[in-house]
Amino acid sequence: MSKVEIHSIKIKLNDIKEFYNSLDPDPFLERDLDETAAEYITDSIKQIPFEKKTNLVILLPKKQIKKSTEKNIRRAIYNYYNFMISAVTLKFQNLIREGRKALVIGIVFLASCLALSEL
């Protein structure tokens, strides 16, 4: 029986506030992740093969850990990456729409050129 290798991404923080976007005025659960933290997580995951399991380990001083800390961090990560997925999906849909318009314009132009060349 083969042992499943689990990769860990570790982030060591001195304060939980370092994990959240300091420009986000919302002090509650819907907080945005700090851009540097999110970029680090994303870059680290890109380096791990897709089929491998991955854990995100956030190291905090004991005085920073409360009952709700893990739940809040999970929710913030979930909300942040769901938002990013939505944004990328929208950009992709817009790109496809622009590509279709360009294709139609190109075909019309080509057909016009071919018709003019026959005259």
Side-chain angles (χ1 to χ4, degrees):
M1 185 186 223
S2 65
K3 184 178 177 183
V4 177
E5 185 178 353
I6 299 176
H7 292 271
S8 291
I9 299 170
K10 293 182 181 179
I11 300 176
K12 184 176 181 179
L13 305 172
N14 294 319
D15 191 329
I16 190 64
K17 292 176 186 174
E18 295 173 0
F19 193 68
Y20 298 113
N21 184 349
S22 60
L23 299 177
D24 188 357
D26 186 6
F28 301 106
L29 301 177
E30 304 299 320
R31 296 192 70 153
D32 200 7
L33 294 185
D34 178 71
E35 190 174 320
T36 306
E39 189 175 312
Y40 177 77
I41 293 168
T42 303
D43 289 345
S44 297
I45 287 177
K46 285 179 183 177
Q47 296 174 11
I48 299 169
F50 185 71
E51 65 278 353
K52 301 289 182 180
K53 292 189 177 218
T54 306
N55 286 335
L56 177 61
V57 179
I58 300 175
L59 304 168
L60 290 167
K62 285 192 178 197
K63 63 182 179 181
Q64 289 281 314
I65 300 173
K66 299 174 184 157
K67 284 185 177 182
S68 61
T69 302
E70 181 181 354
K71 179 180 162 188
N72 292 346
I73 290 172
R74 283 179 186 268
R75 182 172 283 171
I77 291 169
Y78 178 81
N79 289 339
Y80 177 81
Y81 284 104
N82 263 350
F83 174 77
M84 295 306 290
I85 288 168
S86 298
V88 168
T89 301
L90 184 61
K91 279 184 182 179
F92 181 71
Q93 289 171 344
N94 288 335
L95 185 63
I96 293 294
R97 190 176 305 116
E98 288 177 24
R100 285 183 183 144
K101 285 179 188 176
L103 178 63
V104 169
I105 290 169
I107 290 173
V108 169
F109 181 75
L110 177 63
S112 300
C113 288
L114 290 173
L116 286 174
S117 72
E118 290 296 320
L119 296 175

